[in-house]
């Protein structure tokens, strides 16, 4: 089963979407903030914006939809999550679900990394503009001046957020693996995406064409909902836990 998620799954956690009524791209011009040219022109401004988004997301918790998916993943390794989100909430849900229960003693099994593909990168990673080194990064960025921006410990170049900007290509391995998974999926569950950004949107189409059952969860119909076998209209945090149930209650569908 392939799960494709977009900003809508995190809306119930308080993370703004991009194209909704209060969406980020309604209030900010993408070309001034999320392009390589914008960063070359004014890295301070770009970091100020990403610093703001980091702080915002750092105050948000995974919701019932992230948690239900993480529980499914913990039960079935054949559940793969492909996300367009850079908020890290799928990983946060995985950590919550796989953490040993408090006071249980002995601890649970070591938590394996989930099958999670972050197509558009992560707010909580930086990449060096000089040597390309990637690093986890959760600290508050001081974007008050050019001199205070984070720099690479190895080569001294400016660090940038490790997210995919407009005009940039996605990590080819991540994209290839995502399409491979889509080709082999028995079911494709799409949650909270307007499905207008490529190549993410085609992942669901490829899965459907290859025979996967297509289920779409969204508060409003999108181009994809029309093509879906099942369109569940409503909020992700409410619909997804009801759809999946607890592990053991329901199983991921098999092909045929
Ligand atoms: P959008 O903002 O384009 O779409 C969010 C979708 O979520 C819409 O279809 C909403 O109807 C739906 N939605 C909102 N709240 C919801 C809720 N509580 N439950 C279920 N659905 C809900 O966000 P994405 O489709 O993720 O890329 O946008 C794709 C990409 O465009 C982003 O990854 C970002 C942006 O430019 C980059 O920054 C590279
Ligand atoms: Zn470097």
């Amino acid at each position: 089963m392939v799960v494709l998620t977009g900003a809508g799954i995190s809306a119930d956690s308080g993370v703004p979407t991009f194209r909704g009524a209060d969406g980020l791209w309604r209030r900010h011009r993408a070309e001034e903030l999320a392009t390589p040219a914008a960063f070359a022109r004014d890295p301070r401004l770009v970091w100020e914006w990403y610093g703001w988004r980091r702080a915002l997301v750092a105050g948000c918790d995974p919701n019932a939809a992230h948690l239900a998916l993480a529980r499914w993943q913990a039960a079935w390794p054949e559940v793969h999550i492909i996300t367009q989100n850079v908020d890290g909430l799928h990983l946060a849900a995985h950590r919550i679900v796989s953490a040993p229960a408090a006071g249980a003693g002995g601890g649970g099994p070591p938590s394996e990394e989930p099958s999670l593909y972050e197509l558009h990168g992560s707010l909580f990673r930086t990449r060096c503009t000089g040597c390309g080194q990637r690093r986890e990064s959760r600290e508050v960025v001081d974007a008050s001046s050019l001199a205070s921006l984070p720099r690479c410990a190895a080569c001294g170049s400016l660090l940038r957020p490790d997210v995919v900007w407009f005009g940039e290509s996605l990590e080819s391995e991540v994209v290839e693996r995502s399409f491979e998974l889509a080709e082999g999926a028995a079911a494709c569950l799409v949650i909270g995406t307007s499905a207008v950004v490529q190549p993410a949107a085609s992942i669901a189409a490829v899965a459907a064409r290859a025979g996967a059952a297509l289920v779409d969860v969204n508060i409003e119909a999108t181009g994809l909902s029309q093509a879906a076998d099942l369109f569940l209209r409503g909020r992700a945090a409410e619909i997804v836990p009801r759809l999946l149930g607890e592990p053991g209650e329901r199983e991921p569908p098999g092909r045929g």
Side-chain angles (χ1 to χ4, degrees):
M1 182 166 114
V2 161
V3 184
L4 176 68
T5 67
I9 194 173
S10 297
D12 291 327
S13 293
V15 181
T17 64
F18 292 93
R19 297 176 182 79
D22 203 24
L24 293 174
W25 295 153
R26 304 266 169 146
R27 289 181 285 147
H28 303 277
R29 291 161 59 91
E31 63 273 25
E32 281 168 14
L33 295 166
T35 63
F39 190 74
R41 192 167 52 233
D42 193 349
R44 197 207 59 78
L45 176 71
V46 173
W47 260 122
E48 187 173 63
W49 193 62
Y50 279 94
W52 170 76
R53 284 180 62 196
R54 241 193 214 191
L56 193 158
V57 170
C60 296
D61 296 314
N63 64 54
H66 297 107
L67 292 169
L69 287 171
R71 267 186 238 110
W72 262 46
Q73 271 204 318
W76 293 291
E78 310 83 2
V79 175
H80 308 278
I81 300 177
I82 302 170
T83 187
Q84 299 165 84
N85 299 344
V86 294
D87 56 30
L89 290 179
H90 284 298
L91 204 54
H94 164 79
R95 297 213 168 111
I96 291 171
V97 163
S98 58
S111 104
E112 279 175 39
E113 284 302 301
S115 179
L116 172 66
Y117 299 86
E118 294 177 318
L119 287 176
H120 294 164
S122 168
L123 281 178
F124 298 105
R125 255 190 344 251
T126 55
R127 185 161 91 231
C128 175
T129 55
C131 68
Q133 196 179 100
R134 292 189 156 94
R135 290 193 50 161
E136 290 291 311
S137 156
R138 301 208 148 250
E139 57 269 25
V140 174
V141 171
D142 177 0
S144 57
S145 73
L146 189 57
S148 69
L149 296 182
R151 287 187 171 268
C152 177
C155 78
S157 305
L158 265 186
L159 298 179
R160 57 165 280 179
D162 190 20
V163 298
V164 177
W165 283 329
F166 289 98
E168 293 185 314
S169 19
L170 279 61
E171 196 79 25
S172 60
E173 278 152 58
V174 174
V175 174
E176 278 159 30
R177 183 74 185 123
S178 299
F179 279 98
E180 215 172 85
L181 290 168
E183 290 277 355
C188 179
L189 172 59
V190 180
I191 307 167
T193 178
S194 56
V196 295
V197 172
Q198 297 295 351
S202 334
I203 291 171
V206 163
R209 214 176 307 132
L214 186 61
V215 179
D216 185 40
V217 178
N218 200 306
I219 51 169
E220 58 188 40
T222 68
L224 223 101
S225 336
Q226 333 271 324
D229 297 293
L230 184 61
F231 170 42
L232 299 170
R233 188 179 197 135
R235 289 170 39 223
E238 196 196 312
I239 303 273
V240 175
R242 280 171 62 196
L243 177 69
L244 300 184
E246 290 297 321
E249 201 179 324
R250 268 170 227 141
E251 279 188 25
R255 205 155 230 186

